[in-house]
């Protein structure tokens, strides 16, 4: 379908699906030009190079799949299943012989455990909650995929998703989706790439990585509970085929500005020109946040501190990743789709000074909505909340089944891994 972009130079006929495909093709070729081109399947966990992310979309209906698909009419008819929608859970009743399944997410599962008397004793006592199990690891070890980005103005003969600032374009695309279940509104047009640790010159040599790791990790300040985790991340960073860097291209402008935290703030099309955004994501952060109850009332939201970039090595890595964003934008064929030197914010034109780039990262920091690790599956003595069968330590048969059990943040989107945990939990419960 063709739509008209009413720009300064008059109507420009453009097919948005073709535009997305054009950027995607140039992205793949540019990443290959920079030295990463493999035929590996990104779903097997060992992909380096560019790829187009698969979508959880039913090809027949054009609708996104989600976990409610498990709740089929046959499942709903089971006599031992009762669904209470729009219901607030206040606490867990551990006396139930059949056990409990907690699946309220990385921010609310710790809250529910603490409200039920499982958590750090002094915190529970402060809120007048009887202590059933003293486990200070509940709500700790929280990890996030931090993300930063640069906007690049597209060349005069190109357009981007920013033309959807025009309500007429939006209505045309809605009509296209309603009639065909196709077009840009049928998916999230993200081109991606997994790469090892990189900077403005390309892959960081192994000896330089070892120097960085020694600088930030070879000291006595690492808590005992994190030493095993850091050792594992360290090994992944040293692997030349390890996907520590995750790049994404969105064919529209993004605004990750200090104090602006909502998606409406981030996606607003405040710049009048057409832009694309290249994002850099740190797959395996060293920083750890926390989430804990703010009161003894279930209706009060927990106190959430993502603590992004609290470990200085995360900032070092992300600054280097952002330097590589500049390298991508200057490499053909991707560079041919952009206006040379036209970037926002304007202080991203020169990314050669690492300290300067660190400041950019801190100013343009956001989250990729992948909280994990706050009820970690680890030995209890090093910060574990659940065991290898997802059972909460100290309980007979209460399990946590969500991303909070991940001891380490996985690469990329966590959706498939959460589904895998749920499938495994079903098998454990039935065994």
């Amino acid at each position: 379908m063709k739509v008209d972009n009413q720009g300064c130079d008059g109507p420009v006929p453009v097919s948005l699906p073709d535009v997305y495909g054009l950027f995607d093709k140039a992205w793949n070729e540019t990443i290959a030009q920079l030295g990463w081109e493999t035929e590996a399947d990104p779903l097997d966990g060992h992909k380096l190079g560019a790829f187009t992310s698969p979508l959880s979309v039913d090809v027949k209906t054009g609708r996104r799949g989600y976990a409610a698909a498990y709740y089929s009419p046959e499942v709903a008819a089971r006599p031992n299943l009762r669904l209470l929608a729009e219901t607030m859970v206040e606490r867990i009743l551990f006396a139930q012989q059949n056990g409990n399944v907690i699946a309220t997410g990385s921010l609310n599962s710790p809250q529910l455990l603490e409200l039920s008397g499982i958590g750090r004793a002094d915190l529970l006592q402060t809120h007048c909650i009887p202590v059933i199990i003293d486990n200070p690891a509940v709500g700790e070890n929280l990890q996030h995929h931090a993300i930063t980005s640069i906007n690049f103005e597209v060349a005069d003969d190109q357009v981007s998703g920013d033309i959807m600032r025009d309500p007429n374009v939006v209505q045309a695309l809605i009509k296209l989706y309603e009639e065909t279940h196709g077009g840009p509104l049928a998916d999230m047009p993200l081109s991606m790439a997994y790469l090892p640790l990189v900077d403005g010159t390309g892959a960081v040599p192994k000896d330089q990585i070892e120097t960085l790791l020694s600088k930030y990790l070879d000291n006595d300040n690492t808590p005992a509970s994190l030493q095993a985790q850091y050792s594992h991340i360290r090994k992944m960073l040293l692997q030349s085929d390890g996907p520590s860097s995750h790049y994404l291209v969105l064919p529209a402008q993004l605004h990750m500005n200090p104090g602006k935290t909502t998606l409406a703030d981030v996606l607003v099309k405040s710049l009048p020109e057409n832009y694309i955004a290249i994002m850099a994501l740190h797959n395996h952060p060293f920083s750890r946040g926390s989430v804990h109850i703010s009161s003894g009332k279930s209706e009060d939201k927990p106190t959430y501190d993502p603590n992004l970039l609290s470990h200085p090595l995360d900032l070092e890595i992300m600054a280097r990743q952002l330097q590589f964003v500049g390298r991508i934008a200057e490499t053909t064929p991707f560079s041919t789709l952009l206006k040379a030197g036209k970037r926002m914010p304007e202080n991203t034109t020169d990314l050669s000074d690492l300290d300067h780039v660190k400041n950019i990262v801190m100013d343009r920091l956001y989250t990729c909505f992948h909280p994990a690790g706050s009820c970690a599956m680890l030995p209890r003595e090093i910060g574990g909340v659940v065991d290898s069968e997802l059972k909460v330590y100290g309980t007979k048969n209460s399990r946590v089944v969500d991303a909070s059990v991940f001891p380490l943040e996985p690469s990329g989107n966590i959706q498939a891994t959460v589904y895998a945990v749920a499938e495994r939990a079903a098998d454990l419960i039935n065994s």
Side-chain angles (χ1 to χ4, degrees):
M1 176 180 178
K2 300 286 186 179
V3 296
D4 284 340
N5 172 29
Q6 297 289 340
C8 297
D9 299 323
V12 179
V14 59
S15 172
L16 280 180
D18 292 345
V19 169
Y20 292 155
L22 182 64
F23 278 106
D24 186 63
K25 182 175 184 294
W27 173 258
N28 292 340
E29 292 177 359
T30 298
I31 298 299
Q33 178 73 18
L34 290 168
W36 288 281
E37 182 177 22
T38 69
E39 298 300 323
D41 186 344
L43 298 182
D44 71 5
H46 298 285
K47 170 72 173 181
L48 282 187
F51 63 96
T52 301
S53 178
L55 302 168
S56 301
V57 175
D58 188 310
V59 295
K60 295 180 180 179
T61 65
R63 295 179 178 176
R64 179 175 180 176
Y66 62 114
Y70 286 92
Y71 189 68
S72 64
E74 294 77 17
V75 171
R78 292 176 181 173
N80 63 343
L81 178 63
R82 184 182 178 195
L83 176 64
L84 301 176
E86 302 297 327
T87 302
M88 172 67 74
V89 178
E90 295 182 350
R91 68 182 186 277
I92 304 164
L93 301 177
F94 294 104
Q96 294 183 359
Q97 294 182 351
N98 293 330
N100 306 278
V101 174
I102 303 158
T104 54
S106 295
L107 302 186
N108 294 114
S109 286
Q111 178 194 27
L112 185 54
L113 287 175
E114 290 175 341
L115 290 172
S116 306
I118 300 178
R120 196 177 78 237
D122 64 326
L123 173 66
L124 304 185
Q125 292 164 352
T126 297
H127 297 294
C128 302
I129 298 173
V131 179
I132 296 176
I133 299 170
D134 179 12
N135 188 341
V138 174
E140 296 295 316
N141 195 54
L142 183 66
Q143 298 156 61
H144 257 301
H145 280 149
I147 195 168
T148 189
S149 74
I150 299 175
N151 294 313
F152 298 87
E153 187 177 349
V154 301
D156 288 334
D157 58 346
Q158 303 296 329
V159 296
S160 75
D162 285 346
I163 67 169
M164 286 193 284
R165 62 169 62 87
D166 183 342
N168 294 320
V169 173
V170 174
Q171 289 304 313
L173 294 177
I174 291 174
K175 185 173 184 293
L176 173 64
Y177 175 77
E178 290 175 341
E179 293 177 350
T180 69
H181 295 305
L185 300 186
D187 58 29
M188 175 64 92
L190 286 174
S191 303
M192 301 193 182
Y194 281 161
L195 300 176
L197 181 56
V198 290
D199 61 15
T201 63
V204 179
K206 185 176 181 179
D207 61 335
Q208 291 186 26
I209 297 177
E210 289 176 335
T211 299
L212 278 176
L213 293 171
S214 296
K215 175 183 177 181
Y216 289 105
L217 299 179
D218 289 352
N219 56 59
D220 297 327
N221 296 326
T222 301
S225 60
L226 289 177
Q227 288 176 4
Q229 294 187 41
Y230 284 6
S231 176
H232 190 71
I233 300 175
R234 187 171 189 156
K235 290 178 182 178
M236 289 191 289
L237 283 170
L238 287 168
Q239 294 172 349
S240 59
D241 60 347
S244 66
S245 302
H246 184 184
Y247 289 89
L248 308 93
V249 179
L250 180 71
Q253 57 187 269
L254 292 176
H255 300 278
M256 300 174 180
N257 301 318
K260 303 294 185 180
T261 59
T262 70
L263 270 181
D265 292 325
V266 173
L267 296 175
V268 64
K269 303 184 186 307
S270 57
L271 300 173
E273 303 86 5
N274 292 328
Y275 287 83
I276 62 98
I278 302 180
M279 297 169 275
L281 180 149
H282 183 15
N283 268 331
H284 305 295
F286 290 90
S287 300
R288 296 291 182 270
S290 63
V291 56
H292 294 289
I293 54 173
S294 56
S295 78
K297 300 178 181 179
S298 58
E299 61 268 26
D300 291 341
K301 292 183 179 181
T303 300
Y304 162 51
D305 181 6
N307 216 17
L308 301 177
L309 302 186
S310 57
H311 196 291
L313 185 50
D314 287 343
L315 179 57
E316 178 88 26
I317 289 172
M318 291 195 70
R320 290 170 180 268
Q321 290 173 333
L322 198 63
Q323 286 180 320
F324 191 74
V325 167
R327 176 80 180 275
I328 294 172
E330 294 166 357
T331 303
T332 58
F334 203 82
S335 62
T336 64
L337 304 179
L338 309 176
K339 283 188 178 180
K342 295 291 185 178
R343 304 179 183 184
M344 288 297 294
E346 294 178 349
N347 66 346
T348 59
T349 302
D350 184 358
L351 302 175
S352 59
D353 182 81
L354 190 62
D355 289 334
H356 170 65
V357 181
K358 287 181 180 180
N359 289 328
I360 296 172
V361 170
M362 289 187 289
D363 284 343
R364 294 183 59 78
L365 191 68
Y366 205 61
T367 169
C368 211
F369 313 110
H370 300 159
S374 53
C375 296
M377 182 192 292
L378 287 168
R380 185 169 181 176
E381 62 272 16
I382 59 169
V385 176
V386 302
D387 63 17
S388 60
E389 293 189 342
L390 302 172
K391 290 182 182 179
V392 178
Y393 287 117
T395 69
K396 291 183 178 179
N397 201 20
S398 293
R399 289 183 167 92
V400 178
V401 185
D402 56 42
S404 70
V405 305
F406 301 164
L408 286 175
E409 183 81 273
S411 298
N413 197 296
I414 63 175
Q415 177 189 5
T417 312
V418 171
Y419 282 18
V421 168
E423 293 273 8
R424 177 57 177 157
D427 291 340
L428 290 169
I429 293 168
N430 288 328
S431 62

